[in-house]
Amino acid sequence: MSEIKALGYLGFSVSDTQQWREYAENVLGVSVREADNGDLLLRVDSYAWRIRLKKSDHDALDYVGWEVSDKQDLESLKQRLTEQSVAFATGSADLAKTRQVKELITFTDPDGTPCEAFYGPLQLTNKPFISPTGFRFVTAEQGLGHIVLISKDHAAQEAFYTQLLGFKVSDYIDTEVVPGKPINITFLRCNSRHHSLALAPVPIPAKIAHIMLQVDNVDDVGRAMDAAKKADVHFSFTLGRHSNDEMLSFYTMSPSGFDVEFGWGAIEVDDDSWHVKVHHTNSAWGHKFQRPPRK
Ligand SMILES: [Fe+2]
């Protein structure tokens, strides 16, 4: 019962598309194309797009797109949602056309995060992805990367993603982001990527902590750091190595206020040999939090 195969795409409302374009192209090294309706379509691989930015007067996460293999898997997911009395809607033909997928459904998780499940994403092999900075991203069966949501009802969120959507727990990090206030972060996988989703019950109003993109060589992490410094982007966490997925990464603040982790070298999980682990630190070294400058 795990139809979901990967994190497929993400959609955001953003208040400053120009700043986003520069950040995406120059710092993250992803390609940007403007859709007919003015949305910015960000590519990292053969998919027609992976991140869609809608010009708005505010910044928000609009949807998280989870990819399933085929129509049969979408139907069996629909059946389970029905059995568990989770409301969902079948995406219209117009919505599927906009998302550039064959079919999709929409629903929300217990915290109200807008979720979509789809199959049949358009591939643009005739227009190969070309990174403006020459980066190569680790995607394919591991999907786009990962997203870390700030959980409000943590137990309900964890139950929803594991028991209903079939994610597996990779590990937990019990730590104190704020001294004296322990939190328990849950890391969830749906393929060999250590986590495509993490749930962090941090007592802050934000809904999203960060998203992560992974490149296939360590030098591109260094090049992205150089580019971020040159662009005078805020580093939210310094270079470091995560304790659980062993990602070597740094974090910068996107123009929307959430962070983007940019990393290399994460482990891949083999379902047969993996066992759930617990860590008490986020990182083996580094990842020092840097307070954002006051505006
Ligand atoms: Fe991360």
Side-chain angles (χ1 to χ4, degrees):
M1 78 135 229
S2 60
E3 295 87 2
I4 289 171
K5 292 292 186 300
L7 176 61
Y9 56 68
L10 296 168
F12 297 93
S13 286
V14 305
S15 55
D16 192 334
T17 45
Q18 184 52 35
Q19 225 187 330
W20 254 107
R21 180 185 272 273
E22 288 165 19
Y23 177 70
E25 288 180 337
N26 301 335
V27 178
L28 304 179
V30 310
S31 74
V32 179
R33 182 171 63 86
E34 198 171 320
D36 294 341
N37 65 358
D39 289 358
L40 295 186
L41 302 176
L42 277 51
R43 284 185 74 190
V44 302
D45 59 9
S46 61
Y47 282 50
W49 61 279
R50 287 286 202 169
I51 299 172
R52 192 178 190 107
L53 307 176
K54 186 174 91 177
K55 177 139 185 66
S56 176
D57 58 358
H58 66 284
D59 293 89
L61 172 65
D62 290 339
Y63 48 87
V64 179
W66 296 107
E67 182 165 358
V68 304
S69 296
D70 51 24
K71 187 178 182 66
Q72 204 181 338
D73 275 5
L74 191 62
E75 292 303 322
S76 83
L77 179 59
K78 280 158 80 170
Q79 196 181 335
R80 205 167 48 261
L81 291 170
T82 304
E83 285 163 7
Q84 302 289 324
S85 305
V86 176
F88 69 89
T90 300
S92 66
D94 269 358
L95 184 62
K97 199 175 164 196
T98 304
R99 296 284 189 272
Q100 298 187 283
V101 300
K102 194 78 179 157
E103 278 187 62
L104 77 159
I105 58 168
T106 63
F107 53 99
T108 56
D109 70 16
D111 275 352
T113 314
C115 301
E116 300 181 357
F118 71 94
Y119 73 90
L122 178 67
Q123 305 291 298
L124 295 184
T125 52
N126 55 329
K127 289 184 193 157
F129 162 66
I130 298 171
S131 163
T133 50
F135 296 165
R136 292 181 305 270
F137 293 90
V138 176
T139 57
E141 65 109 19
Q142 293 190 55
L144 168 61
H146 69 231
I147 181 164
V148 178
L149 299 173
I150 305 292
S151 49
K152 313 296 178 197
D153 188 343
H154 188 78
Q157 284 285 85
E158 188 175 314
F160 182 83
Y161 283 99
T162 54
Q163 291 165 29
L164 193 79
L165 296 185
F167 283 70
K168 288 184 172 163
V169 174
S170 290
D171 43 40
Y172 300 97
I173 297 184
D174 300 332
T175 189
E176 293 183 4
V177 175
V178 178
K181 294 197 171 163
I183 58 160
N184 191 344
I185 308 169
T186 307
F187 294 81
L188 300 160
R189 72 179 184 279
C190 54
N191 55 50
S192 64
R193 191 184 289 285
H194 173 277
H195 59 284
S196 293
L197 173 70
L199 303 169
V202 188
I204 55 171
K207 291 185 171 158
I208 169 174
H210 71 263
I211 63 171
M212 189 284 304
L213 298 175
Q214 184 177 347
V215 285
D216 73 352
N217 71 96
V218 70
D219 293 315
D220 287 346
V221 175
R223 290 185 185 102
M225 286 182 72
D226 281 353
K229 280 179 192 152
K230 193 175 168 200
D232 203 19
V233 170
H234 173 68
F235 281 67
S236 304
F237 293 90
T238 60
L239 186 70
R241 176 80 83 169
H242 275 304
S243 55
N244 57 350
D245 68 356
E246 298 180 24
M247 184 86 74
L248 180 81
S249 62
F250 70 97
Y251 293 63
T252 52
M253 186 186 278
S254 75
S256 291
F258 63 81
D259 292 335
V260 178
E261 179 183 7
F262 195 92
W264 163 84
I267 56 166
E268 288 175 32
V269 169
D270 169 20
D271 267 349
D272 291 334
S273 58
W274 187 263
H275 56 103
V276 172
K277 299 164 191 185
V278 170
H279 296 268
H280 281 175
T281 57
N282 263 322
S283 306
W285 55 267
H287 287 145
K288 189 171 180 294
F289 175 67
Q290 317 256 89
R291 212 164 279 287
R294 285 195 188 171
K295 286 186 179 168

